[in-house]
Amino acid sequence: SEVRFLAMQSVAFTVGPRTAIRRAAVKQLRESGKIPAVIYGKIAEPQALTLDDRDFNDMLRKHASEHLLVELTVEGDARPKRLALLQEVQHHPLRRDIMHVDFHEIAEGDMVSVIIPLESKGVPVGVKVDGGLLEHVLHHVKVRGLIKNIPEVMVVDVSELGAGQTLHIGELVAPEGCEFLGNASNPAFTVTAKRGGGDKEEVEAEKPADKKK
């Protein structure tokens, strides 16, 4: 199947240093429209940060995934720019607002593992001709490689899938210089066959003859 990759572009974002560590102080920080965050990695010691809630959510809405490559400017930091992966966004289990953000600082030559969205393109022949149903089984895939080679989104052409056929992770083409992590036999897309029997005449023929009284 044809696979198309949408390149991952770094996003510029400004954050501030954070001194609020205790629970009460962090709660007050959230109530003021800020999100607590942390940046960590091999380059420097972990640092507590604060983000503007509205600006951060605006940035997320413009992208297909929360796993972004971010060019951070930390106010007051000696280094003007810090390249980082948006590693984790923690949401409140009920309200779904953002509670905490983790950034993983990296260098351009680092090998990294990133979870990227897996999307489909086209209408399978098993749906269009045979009346089957396309099931999108796996919505994300984990990829390892140099950050410059990892796409933001992976789009798979499913138009050749017939009824009863499945496309597995191992059958997809990985981005150049990257590899998929996980079980290659995991299904990504499948077309289930149309349920039901043949036409009316065949169904009637299968019925047992009525018993004579």
Side-chain angles (χ1 to χ4, degrees), residues 69-109:
L69 182 62
V70 185
E71 196 174 67
L72 284 178
T73 298
V74 182
E75 294 173 347
D77 197 282
R79 288 178 291 162
K81 302 287 183 184
R82 299 172 70 173
L83 191 64
L85 274 172
L86 182 51
Q87 191 72 27
E88 184 178 9
V89 179
Q90 299 175 18
H91 296 267
H92 189 280
L94 299 178
R95 300 193 305 269
R96 302 306 299 163
D97 49 329
I98 297 173
M99 302 296 291
H100 193 274
V101 174
D102 288 3
F103 292 100
H104 179 198
E105 186 170 11
I106 60 172
E108 289 189 3

Side-chain angles (χ1 to χ4, degrees), residues 184-203:
S185 64
N186 284 343
F189 303 95
T190 186
V191 176
T192 57
K194 183 180 180 181
R195 292 183 179 181
D199 56 8
K200 187 176 179 181
E201 290 183 4
E202 292 175 344
V203 173

